[in-house]
Amino acid sequence: MPDNLLKHINSPEDLRKLSKDQLPQLAKELRDFIIDIVAVKEGHLGASLGVVELTIALHYVFNTPDDLLVWDVGHQAYGHKILTERKDIFHTNRQLGGVSGFPKRSESIYDTFGVGHSSTSISAALGMAIASQLKGVVEKQHIAVIGDASIASGMAFEALNHAGVTDTNLLIILNDNAIGIDPSVGALKKYLTEVKTNKRLAQNNIIKALNFDYSGPIDGHNLPLLIEELNRLKKIKGPRFLHLITTKGKGLKKAEENQVIYHAPGKFDKNTGELIAKPHIVQPPKYQDVFGHTIVELAKQNEKIIGITPAMPTGSSLKFMMAEIPDRAFDVGIAEQHAVTLAAGMATQGYIPFCNIYSTFLQRAYDQIIHDVALQNLPVIFCLDRAGLVGEDGATHHGVFDLAYLRCIPNLVIFAPRNETELRNIMFTAQRGLKYPIAIRYPRGRGVTIDWEQPFKSIEIGKGSILKEGNNIAVLSIGSIAKNVTEAIASLKETDEVAHFDMRFLKPLDEVLLHQICTTFKNIITIEDGTKKGGLGSAVLEFAAEHHYNIKIQVLGIPDQFIQHGTIAELQNLSGIDTQNIAKEIQLLLNK
């Protein structure tokens, strides 16, 4: 037996040459490989450690890539990537130009479906299975691996409902570890917990009732048992469902003990699991924490305030309210559509719901924003975390479309704070009795203000502000990208020539301020950390055309393409909205 089996494994074909007795050793090596790289390069850890045995068993039993394997969400697919011809480049994971942190069709034939948002695997795999059926391909296997948090989403239930009345060659594997990013919530989670030991529930199984051949729950870390069961299920026709019990973070004690932190822990000691301590320096807060502490502060003063988040209490920092005022803070699970309409229902009864959803995930509830909130003009306060470029999670997670997709909705106010104080003040303003919905979008990461906990001040809706006077060029920004603009202007010799305006509101636009700008300046640059198509630049161009202003307007923002993964600094540079590129564009205008 070789000292290192993984060294000789470059593809599932190599894996299938091993004996079953060698697979436990491979599992240990694969875990160590993931830990070694993530400890230094960072990334998602716990989810992939929890499915090492399952990953090996799937590629050992099934004839991938001919048999089609879909992962859900994709945090758990590191082992899959390593075993499918990407081991030697896995150290580039989530880096600019490197391996994506999620399955990606353009990256590998083994990545059958791109997955960055949850609960899509069953629909996708069912679509593939029906397509195989239509082609007359009866032996091809279609496998969806879905977590217990993801399966509670409405889309997953829709797919289960459809799959149960087909005779497709579909296997759904439930990876049940009782946690997504935060602990799983809801009645289904309670059911899955109890079905493990309650014989009555096991006999009246909800999955069986949906017409699936159900087996389990079994130990997802028992490789011989897994292989035996997968081989058995491979021979059964029609929709099947395998329930596995696993431990997130398996194989690293610290990751097993603290599954929330070790979902994506940053750098850590690969031997002990201890997090690498960061230098203790006074820093501005994270925007999410400004939201989290501010909503608690406001909710203590206003008993009508409600906090809602779909499965992101830690990421959104609603966890602070859940700890201090638990009866008015709700984690509804991976259910963005429900979160929005739940907030709408509460608003009809005089409550003030703060619905906190990552910008990229709000896309999943677009109809609910339009139909259930805006059409009825209900005063829901949307707090859109992770707006703009988010970095290493890449195209599936960038929040770059919100300004454009929200701007076209009637009744909806859109505000982007340039700093933490503005975020606090707009939250304060919004809960004082707005009669319409508002979306507040702010970025991932830290702000710019150390002394951010200032007394609240009301913000006038639809009012922009001038940050710097100038004589020649007007730069219009919205949101936290103002920091790059300020630095860019400061780097120029002719700083007196450049004025800087913070529009603050994309909707309603400050038309008084825009008239002043358009009659004073012949050159305007708009800058946003959202797509150039349909955002601030588009709004200013529309305004200028409508009022017949003959001025030059240049639009800077995210280009009309999906942006890959990399650091925020790298991606801002590629998009032309970093400090240096902004300065260059201003200088070009000054030189004309």
Side-chain angles (χ1 to χ4, degrees), residues 355-422:
C355 187
N356 188 304
I357 303 182
Y358 288 9
S359 170
T360 183
F361 297 145
L362 189 66
Q363 296 162 186
R364 294 159 62 94
Y366 195 53
D367 179 65
Q368 285 69 29
I369 304 165
I370 296 172
H371 187 273
D372 299 340
V373 177
L375 179 61
Q376 304 184 88
N377 207 23
L378 293 170
V380 173
I381 302 165
F382 293 105
C383 293
L384 308 189
D385 199 334
R386 280 30 174 206
L389 295 165
V390 299
E392 291 84 353
D393 282 342
T396 58
H397 281 59
H398 295 314
V400 297
F401 302 112
D402 52 7
L403 292 174
Y405 73 66
L406 293 174
R407 186 168 75 91
C408 61
I409 303 175
N411 296 336
L412 182 64
V413 171
I414 305 168
F415 180 87
R418 74 174 181 275
N419 58 34
E420 303 92 318
T421 304
E422 291 258 294

Side-chain angles (χ1 to χ4, degrees), residues 8 365 397 418 476 544 550 576:
H8 302 279
H397 281 59
R418 74 174 181 275
L476 282 55
N550 184 25

Side-chain angles (χ1 to χ4, degrees), residues 278-495:
K278 295 179 180 177
H280 182 68
I281 55 175
V282 177
Q283 299 181 84
K286 292 181 178 179
Y287 277 95
Q288 68 188 57
D289 290 339
V290 173
F291 162 82
H293 291 301
T294 301
I295 194 173
V296 170
E297 187 177 345
L298 293 170
K300 286 179 178 178
Q301 302 167 16
N302 186 342
E303 63 181 12
K304 294 293 187 182
I305 288 176
I306 302 289
I308 300 169
T309 188
M312 290 293 172
T314 298
S316 71
S317 290
L318 191 67
K319 64 181 181 181
F320 301 137
M321 187 176 179
M322 293 175 72
E324 292 200 44
I325 316 174
D327 59 328
R328 287 194 278 140
F330 301 91
D331 174 5
V332 301
I334 301 176
E336 292 86 359
Q337 293 174 316
H338 167 59
V340 171
T341 305
L342 176 73
M346 289 182 171
T348 68
Q349 301 305 303
Y351 282 89
I352 304 168
F354 282 77
C355 187
N356 188 304
I357 303 182
Y358 288 9
S359 170
T360 183
F361 297 145
L362 189 66
Q363 296 162 186
R364 294 159 62 94
Y366 195 53
D367 179 65
Q368 285 69 29
I369 304 165
I370 296 172
H371 187 273
D372 299 340
V373 177
L375 179 61
Q376 304 184 88
N377 207 23
L378 293 170
V380 173
I381 302 165
F382 293 105
C383 293
L384 308 189
D385 199 334
R386 280 30 174 206
L389 295 165
V390 299
E392 291 84 353
D393 282 342
T396 58
H397 281 59
H398 295 314
V400 297
F401 302 112
D402 52 7
L403 292 174
Y405 73 66
L406 293 174
R407 186 168 75 91
C408 61
I409 303 175
N411 296 336
L412 182 64
V413 171
I414 305 168
F415 180 87
R418 74 174 181 275
N419 58 34
E420 303 92 318
T421 304
E422 291 258 294
L423 174 55
R424 276 174 60 79
N425 287 339
I426 195 64
M427 290 176 67
F428 170 73
T429 303
Q431 57 86 46
R432 297 187 77 192
L434 291 187
K435 304 300 182 187
Y436 36 76
I438 182 171
I440 305 164
R441 54 106 65 181
Y442 49 90
R444 180 185 187 186
R446 296 190 179 276
V448 295
T449 311
I450 300 291
D451 187 19
W452 60 277
E453 292 186 272
Q454 298 295 319
F456 291 117
K457 294 180 182 177
S458 287
I459 290 176
E460 184 180 344
I461 300 299
K463 185 73 172 172
S465 65
I466 181 164
L467 302 181
K468 181 187 175 300
E469 300 277 2
N471 305 317
N472 188 349
I473 297 169
V475 181
L476 282 55
S477 65
I478 189 166
S480 61
I481 200 69
K483 176 177 181 289
N484 289 12
V485 177
T486 298
E487 292 173 352
I489 295 172
S491 72
L492 301 170
K493 290 180 180 178
E494 308 99 317
T495 56

Side-chain angles (χ1 to χ4, degrees), residues 139-411:
E139 297 303 319
K140 184 186 286 285
Q141 302 285 335
H142 313 84
I143 308 105
V145 180
I146 187 167
D148 57 284
S150 297
I151 204 169
S153 172
M155 184 175 178
F157 265 90
E158 292 168 24
L160 285 169
N161 183 53
H162 182 191
V165 294
T166 71
D167 59 353
T168 51
N169 200 355
L170 175 68
L171 170 60
I172 298 168
I173 298 176
L174 175 62
N175 174 31
D176 181 1
N177 58 21
I179 188 167
I181 295 175
D182 287 282
S184 301
V185 297
L188 184 60
K189 180 253 184 176
K190 188 170 183 280
Y191 171 83
L192 291 172
T193 300
E194 293 178 355
V195 78
K196 300 165 191 174
T197 55
N198 188 315
K199 290 183 180 179
R200 182 186 62 80
L201 285 177
Q203 289 171 349
N204 298 286
N205 186 290
I206 188 173
I207 304 300
K208 287 181 181 177
L210 290 171
N211 205 31
F212 281 80
D213 184 303
Y214 173 91
S215 59
I218 68 171
D219 180 359
H221 300 300
N222 185 329
L223 255 171
L225 180 60
L226 265 179
I227 289 171
E228 179 185 350
E229 186 61 15
L230 290 175
N231 273 317
R232 184 187 74 81
L233 289 168
K234 190 164 71 167
K235 298 168 188 169
I236 296 173
K237 301 301 180 185
R240 292 140 287 156
F241 191 103
L242 174 60
H243 185 173
L244 300 184
I245 308 302
T246 63
T247 300
K248 188 172 183 177
K250 179 75 172 176
L252 185 66
K253 190 168 184 288
K254 289 285 185 183
E256 293 181 30
E257 292 172 347
N258 199 328
Q259 297 175 332
V260 174
I261 286 178
Y262 283 82
H263 173 75
K267 294 181 180 179
F268 61 94
D269 185 304
K270 68 179 184 181
N271 297 312
T272 66
E274 292 286 350
L275 300 181
I276 303 297
K278 295 179 180 177
H280 182 68
I281 55 175
V282 177
Q283 299 181 84
K286 292 181 178 179
Y287 277 95
Q288 68 188 57
D289 290 339
V290 173
F291 162 82
H293 291 301
T294 301
I295 194 173
V296 170
E297 187 177 345
L298 293 170
K300 286 179 178 178
Q301 302 167 16
N302 186 342
E303 63 181 12
K304 294 293 187 182
I305 288 176
I306 302 289
I308 300 169
T309 188
M312 290 293 172
T314 298
S316 71
S317 290
L318 191 67
K319 64 181 181 181
F320 301 137
M321 187 176 179
M322 293 175 72
E324 292 200 44
I325 316 174
D327 59 328
R328 287 194 278 140
F330 301 91
D331 174 5
V332 301
I334 301 176
E336 292 86 359
Q337 293 174 316
H338 167 59
V340 171
T341 305
L342 176 73
M346 289 182 171
T348 68
Q349 301 305 303
Y351 282 89
I352 304 168
F354 282 77
C355 187
N356 188 304
I357 303 182
Y358 288 9
S359 170
T360 183
F361 297 145
L362 189 66
Q363 296 162 186
R364 294 159 62 94
Y366 195 53
D367 179 65
Q368 285 69 29
I369 304 165
I370 296 172
H371 187 273
D372 299 340
V373 177
L375 179 61
Q376 304 184 88
N377 207 23
L378 293 170
V380 173
I381 302 165
F382 293 105
C383 293
L384 308 189
D385 199 334
R386 280 30 174 206
L389 295 165
V390 299
E392 291 84 353
D393 282 342
T396 58
H397 281 59
H398 295 314
V400 297
F401 302 112
D402 52 7
L403 292 174
Y405 73 66
L406 293 174
R407 186 168 75 91
C408 61
I409 303 175
N411 296 336

Side-chain angles (χ1 to χ4, degrees), residues 403-404 407-408 476 506-507 509 511 514-515 518 524 526 532-549 551 553 555:
L403 292 174
R407 186 168 75 91
C408 61
L476 282 55
L506 179 63
K507 191 172 185 179
L509 279 172
E511 295 198 351
L514 278 176
H515 278 299
C518 290
I524 294 174
T526 68
K532 291 195 288 189
K533 303 291 186 180
L536 174 65
S538 295
V540 173
L541 285 166
E542 290 166 13
F543 174 86
E546 181 181 347
H547 295 282
H548 310 290
Y549 285 112
I551 53 178
I553 299 173
V555 176

